[in-house]
């Protein structure tokens, strides 16, 4: 029994990891059609991410092409400020090495423009163990934590598809707002929690550099922009880049308010910046050019929002609205509104969902059949599986690729081993992918095809955090990670109370599993069934798999009240998403 509990524990603890999304593993076999043609516009767009450090103006340098996001260095009198830190420790080291060819002045401050991992993952490299202040909007830490716990597995898997992490460079010339995701199985995250936060605005001078930080919701609710008033340099973060904005990202996101995003662009327009240095794509110089681009960007966002609302009020459903939304010609022609990253059609759908929620108004959709039941009935309606396969193949041969893809969904839900439908689906995904100029859609199609073909597998685990990063994260996050991985069906008839006495941090909690539901309270309940004593750092590192979870739980956890086996059985209730 103990051996079984150890086996279950080893498999279940991976789900309690509490680190930011992102890692890629390359398949040992090259995906099919690796040399298929790529739209020329997407290939040309790669020039935006040419690797190197550019001097933008006196004291302002930007490192591009070292990962997804740029990292910006502001050089002051006796130190430097780093705005955004790339996605990993390894990428940050490369950037810092290039910055050190320009100056050896110490890092005096770091600014996070927002909470996305590609802007915060390399912070520990720039801080270099020094007590460097980390500036951010006050909600950054909260949003970092949410990405790192509750949604980590699914966001990671969908992100890896969207960024084409297992595709060849020929298949994935760029990812729309960057050259590539600089993350792999050996990467390390070095996030440092913000230390200087603000709600609306913050003004400060560091190393002689006077700057203003302004809360500017857009790609995230915790977004800010940096304004250098003396030099009229604007650092907009991700609220503008050389693509139609990602008002909705297919990896999954909460509602990104287009109204708030457009209003933030208006704040930036009012500054009349002479130099613009985005955190994605190349810098811009010239007040008139910047004003024109910001105005078009803002207008495109408001056009999609306003017209989507108008069509919603006419009773149209999301797919109908998406089919009608097209930018006016003068906006559609802008180099900064090409759909390399975001799409107007996706944005229209998110406007509907963000304002009216999931119900589209059709009463048939209030309590629809489960997808599996619907698929069974659609197969029957087609005249059986073989007849449906005939229709699928006919659609593919006639060039009706999207319809063929949709039909294969029914066939494979009923029979996952339907070889005819599977091959058509793979071919359809590749055909749609290779025709796509939008990088996320292209990569998602091609990654999905590769997974279905068995060329590579879905990725759910993230790269490793540093022990220091884990130490900074509150214990509540680890319990959150456990709660969303509790297999309720295994404990619907159980009430279990486990006290945790963390010997190094002097924290005490009781984790209660009550008939399939989690609750955590401070202190050890007098009626706890089990009390486990373990250093908090050891517990965190075992959940993050910096230590072997099974060995740690057996060797390093001291259990009082009941046996070690009972504790292992309790921990085995928390299983990863694929179990």
């Amino acid at each position: 029994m103990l051996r079984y509990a150890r086996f279950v524990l080893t498999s279940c603890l991976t789900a309690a990891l509490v680190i930011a999304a992102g890692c890629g593993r390359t398949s040992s076999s090259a995906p099919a059609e690796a040399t298929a043609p790529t739209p020329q516009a997407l290939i040309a767009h790669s020039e935006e991410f040419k690797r190197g450090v550019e001097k933008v103006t006196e004291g302002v340098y930007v490192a591009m092409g070292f990962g997804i996001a740029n990292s910006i260095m502001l050089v002051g009198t006796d130190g430097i400020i780093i705005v955004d830190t790339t996605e990993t420790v390894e990428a940050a080291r490369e950037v810092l090495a290039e910055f050190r060819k320009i100056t050896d002045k110490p890092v005096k401050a770091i600014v996070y423009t927002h909470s996305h991992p590609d802007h915060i993952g390399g912070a520990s490299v720039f801080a270099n163990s020094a007590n460097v202040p980390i500036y951010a909007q006050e909600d950054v830490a909260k949003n970092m934590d949410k990405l790192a716990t509750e949604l980590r597995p699914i966001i990671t898997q969908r992100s890896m598809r969207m960024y084409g992490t297992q595709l060849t460079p020929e298949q994935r010339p760029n990812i729309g707002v960057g050259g590539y995701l600089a993350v792999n199985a050996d990467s390390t995250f070095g996030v440092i929690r913000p230390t200087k936060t603000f709600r609306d605005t913050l003004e400060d001078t560091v190393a002689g550099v006077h700057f203003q930080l302004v809360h500017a919701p857009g790609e995230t609710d915790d977004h800010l922009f940096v304004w250098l008033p003396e030099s009229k340099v604007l650092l907009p973060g991700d609220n503008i880049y050389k693509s139609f904005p990602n008002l909705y990202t297919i990896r999954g996101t909460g509602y990104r308010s287009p109204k708030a995003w457009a209003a933030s662009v208006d704040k930036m327009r009012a500054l009349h910046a002479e130099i613009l240095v985005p955190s994605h794509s190349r810098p811009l110089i010239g007040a008139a050019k910047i004003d024109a681009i910001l105005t078009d960007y803002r207008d495109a966002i408001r056009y999609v929002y306003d017209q989507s609302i108008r069509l919603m009020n006419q009773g149209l459903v999301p797919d109908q609205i998406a089919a009608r939304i097209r930018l006016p010609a003068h906006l559609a022609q802008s180099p900064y509104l090409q759909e390399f990253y975001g799409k107007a059609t996706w944005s229209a759908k998110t406007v509907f969902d963000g304002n009216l929620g999931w119900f589209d108004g059709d009463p048939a959709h209030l309590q629809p059949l489960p997808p599996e039941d619907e698929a069974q009935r659609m197969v029957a309606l087609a005249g059986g599986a073989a007849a449906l396969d005939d229709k699928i193949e006919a659609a593919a041969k006639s060039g009706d690729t999207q319809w063929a893809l949709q039909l294969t969904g029914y066939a494979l839900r009923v029979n996952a081993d339907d070889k005819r439908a599977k091959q058509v689906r793979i071919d359809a995904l590749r055909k749609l992918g290779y025709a796509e100029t939008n990088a996320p859609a292209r990569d998602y199609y091609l990654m999905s095809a590769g997974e279905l073909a068995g060329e590579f597998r879905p990725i759910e685990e993230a790269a490793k955090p540093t022990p220091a990063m884990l130490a900074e994260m509150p214990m509540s996050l680890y319990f959150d990670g456990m709660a969303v991985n509790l297999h309720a069906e295994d404990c619907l008839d159980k009430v279990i109370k486990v006290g945790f006495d963390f010997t190094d941090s002097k924290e005490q909690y009781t984790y209660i599993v009550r008939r399939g539901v989690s609750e955590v309270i401070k202190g050890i309940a007098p009626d706890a069934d089990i009390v486990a004593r373990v250093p908090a750092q050891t517990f965190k590192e075992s959940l993050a798999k910096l230590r072997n979870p099974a060995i740690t739980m057996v060797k390093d956890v001291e259990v009082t009240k009941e046996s070690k086996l009972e504790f292992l059985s309790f921990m085995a209730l928390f299983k990863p998403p694929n179990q």
Side-chain angles (χ1 to χ4, degrees), residues 59 89 107 210 328 345 361 473 482 529 559:
V89 165
V107 176
H210 173 221
T345 52
M473 299 175 74
M482 292 172 63
D529 302 300
V559 174

Side-chain angles (χ1 to χ4, degrees), residues 111-320:
V111 178
Y112 294 157
T113 58
H114 59 295
S115 55
H116 281 167
D118 54 320
H119 298 259
I120 63 179
S124 62
V125 171
F126 294 103
N128 193 27
S129 302
N131 189 25
V132 175
I134 310 291
Y135 290 78
Q137 202 274 337
E138 67 181 19
D139 291 331
V140 161
K142 175 186 70 177
N143 292 328
M144 284 165 45
D145 294 344
K146 184 175 182 179
L147 279 177
T149 53
E150 298 177 0
L151 297 174
R152 182 198 58 79
I154 188 61
I155 291 291
T156 299
Q157 183 182 104
R158 288 169 58 143
S159 295
M160 297 307 100
R161 289 177 182 146
M162 171 177 155
Y163 291 129
T165 54
Q166 298 181 75
L167 301 176
T168 66
E170 291 77 21
Q171 293 173 307
R172 188 208 62 237
N174 62 73
I175 54 178
V177 288
Y180 62 101
L181 177 64
V183 182
N184 56 54
D186 299 319
S187 297
T188 308
F189 292 120
V191 178
I192 302 176
R193 298 180 80 79
T195 58
K196 298 199 72 169
T197 62
F198 67 97
R199 165 48 52 188
D200 297 316
T201 61
L202 182 151
E203 188 165 1
D204 206 348
T205 300
V206 174
V209 178
H210 173 221
F211 59 88
Q212 297 170 359
L213 306 180
V214 180
H215 184 207
E219 186 164 282
T220 61
D221 288 339
D222 56 33
H223 211 289
L224 63 80
F225 64 75
V226 183
W227 174 238
L228 307 179
E230 284 75 22
S231 56
K232 288 191 167 294
V233 173
L234 173 63
L235 314 183
D238 285 9
N239 278 348
I240 181 168
Y241 36 71
K242 198 172 184 181
S243 169
F244 186 87
N246 220 14
L247 302 181
Y248 173 78
T249 175
I250 59 174
R251 69 174 176 267
T253 182
Y255 183 54
R256 297 175 172 181
S257 168
K259 287 182 69 176
W261 196 327
S264 294
V265 177
D266 284 338
K267 286 183 185 179
M268 295 190 288
R269 291 171 64 213
L271 298 173
H272 302 294
E274 296 178 1
I275 297 174
L276 184 79
V277 189
S279 290
H280 296 281
S281 63
R282 307 192 81 78
L284 289 167
I285 297 176
K289 178 192 293 186
I290 292 168
D291 180 68
I293 289 171
L294 289 177
T295 299
D296 283 351
Y297 216 73
R298 172 259 184 229
D299 285 354
I301 295 170
R302 282 306 308 234
Y303 180 88
V304 169
Y305 178 81
D306 294 341
Q307 295 307 306
S308 296
I309 295 291
R310 181 176 72 88
L311 295 174
M312 286 164 55
N313 285 329
Q314 293 178 10
L316 274 65
V317 300
D319 287 335
Q320 290 175 310

